[in-house]
């Protein structure tokens, strides 16, 4: 009986969409809870209580709202030769919507550099350190190599360090304008389904 009630709750959660932040883009995404399976599932690890503050809304950034609960993830889906991800847009330049200096090298990067941030689980929590490494991103019939310089934090947010934006979902490759240009994508679309792999 308890399992049936749990399944009903999970089904209701799937029907109700939570607006998740995709570092720089607001998007509706359904929440799927699954029992932990060896080798691969990742589920919500908690919720962050939102606080209202002014954030830089460049590239369509979503600002945290007071009283709203934002999902947190301490994991990301498994990495493969074609790892599905959502490409979002972010400026890593000083004064850009990325907040502070990049996590990996404590520097800002001009919009002309092909650099990315990865969701927390992909950056460092899956046993592979990807800081300052190259990854290949495939999308729109094109491919681009980009350097991992930052974390799209899936655990923390709603503070100055994170531009007062909610935590990222667990499947984000947050690309600079140069990455979007190399893939032939218009920045105005805000997000795009891609695959990526380690190089």
């Amino acid at each position: 009986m308890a399992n049936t009630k749990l399944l009903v709750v999970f089904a209701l959660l799937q029907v109700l969409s939570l607006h998740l932040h995709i570092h720089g883009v607001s998007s509706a995404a359904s929440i799927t809870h699954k029992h932990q399976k060896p080798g691969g599932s990742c589920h919500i690890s908690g919720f962050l209580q939102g606080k209202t503050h002014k954030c830089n809304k460049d590239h369509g950034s979503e600002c945290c709202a007071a009283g709203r609960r934002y999902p947190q993830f301490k994991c990301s889906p498994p990495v493969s030769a074609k790892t599905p991800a959502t490409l979002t847009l972010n400026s890593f330049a000083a004064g850009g919507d990325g907040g502070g200096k990049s996590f990996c090298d404590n520097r800002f990067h001009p919009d002309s550099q092909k650099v990315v941030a990865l969701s927390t689980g992909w950056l460092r929590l899956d046993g592979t350190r990807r800081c300052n490494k190259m990854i290949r991103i495939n999308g729109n019939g094109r491919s681009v190599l980009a350097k991992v310089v930052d974390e799209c934090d899936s655990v923390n947010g709603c503070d100055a360090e994170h531009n007062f934006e909610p935590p990222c979902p667990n499947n984000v490759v947050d690309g600079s304008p140069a990455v979007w240009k190399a893939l032939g994508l218009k920045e105005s679309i805000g997000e795009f389904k891609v695959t990526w792999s380690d190089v």
Side-chain angles (χ1 to χ4, degrees), residues 100-182:
K101 295 179 180 178
S102 296
F103 175 83
C104 295
D105 59 10
N106 199 34
R107 295 177 43 209
F108 291 107
H109 297 270
D111 289 343
S112 59
Q113 285 186 352
K114 294 179 188 112
V115 294
V116 298
L118 294 178
S119 292
T120 300
W122 285 337
L123 180 70
R124 56 195 171 109
L125 297 181
D126 71 351
T128 303
R129 301 279 184 188
R130 291 189 172 87
C131 268
N132 300 312
K133 305 267 174 83
M134 300 298 285
I135 64 168
R136 179 177 309 280
I137 305 164
N138 298 296
N140 198 34
R142 298 185 184 189
S143 179
V144 62
L145 290 176
K147 185 177 181 180
V148 178
V149 297
D150 206 358
E151 173 181 26
C152 193
D153 200 326
S154 304
V155 178
N156 303 298
C158 299
D159 57 14
E161 181 182 349
H162 299 92
N163 187 36
F164 297 98
E165 297 175 49
C168 283
N170 64 351
N171 64 339
V172 169
V173 174
D174 202 16
S176 66
V179 169
W180 279 69
K181 183 176 181 181

Side-chain angles (χ1 to χ4, degrees), residues 6-185:
L6 192 57
L7 289 175
V8 169
V9 170
F10 290 156
L12 288 172
L13 284 173
Q14 287 178 328
V15 171
L16 299 171
S17 289
L18 292 176
H19 288 283
L20 294 177
H21 166 266
I22 299 182
H23 200 72
V25 181
S26 177
S27 172
S30 63
I31 303 292
T32 305
H33 286 266
K34 295 182 180 176
H35 295 288
Q36 193 77 16
K37 294 180 184 173
S41 67
C42 175
H43 56 86
I44 293 172
S45 59
F47 289 90
L48 179 69
Q49 197 69 26
K51 298 175 271 189
T52 301
H53 202 283
K54 185 177 179 183
C55 73
N56 181 339
K57 292 187 177 186
D58 289 349
H59 301 128
S61 296
E62 176 189 358
C63 298
C64 290
R68 189 156 172 207
R69 291 171 24 126
Y70 297 97
Q72 297 170 297
F73 295 91
K74 292 184 179 178
C75 56
S76 289
V79 174
S80 66
K82 292 185 177 181
T83 309
T86 300
L87 179 69
T88 58
L89 180 62
N90 186 42
S91 174
F92 298 85
D97 61 321
K101 295 179 180 178
S102 296
F103 175 83
C104 295
D105 59 10
N106 199 34
R107 295 177 43 209
F108 291 107
H109 297 270
D111 289 343
S112 59
Q113 285 186 352
K114 294 179 188 112
V115 294
V116 298
L118 294 178
S119 292
T120 300
W122 285 337
L123 180 70
R124 56 195 171 109
L125 297 181
D126 71 351
T128 303
R129 301 279 184 188
R130 291 189 172 87
C131 268
N132 300 312
K133 305 267 174 83
M134 300 298 285
I135 64 168
R136 179 177 309 280
I137 305 164
N138 298 296
N140 198 34
R142 298 185 184 189
S143 179
V144 62
L145 290 176
K147 185 177 181 180
V148 178
V149 297
D150 206 358
E151 173 181 26
C152 193
D153 200 326
S154 304
V155 178
N156 303 298
C158 299
D159 57 14
E161 181 182 349
H162 299 92
N163 187 36
F164 297 98
E165 297 175 49
C168 283
N170 64 351
N171 64 339
V172 169
V173 174
D174 202 16
S176 66
V179 169
W180 279 69
K181 183 176 181 181
L183 292 173
L185 298 170

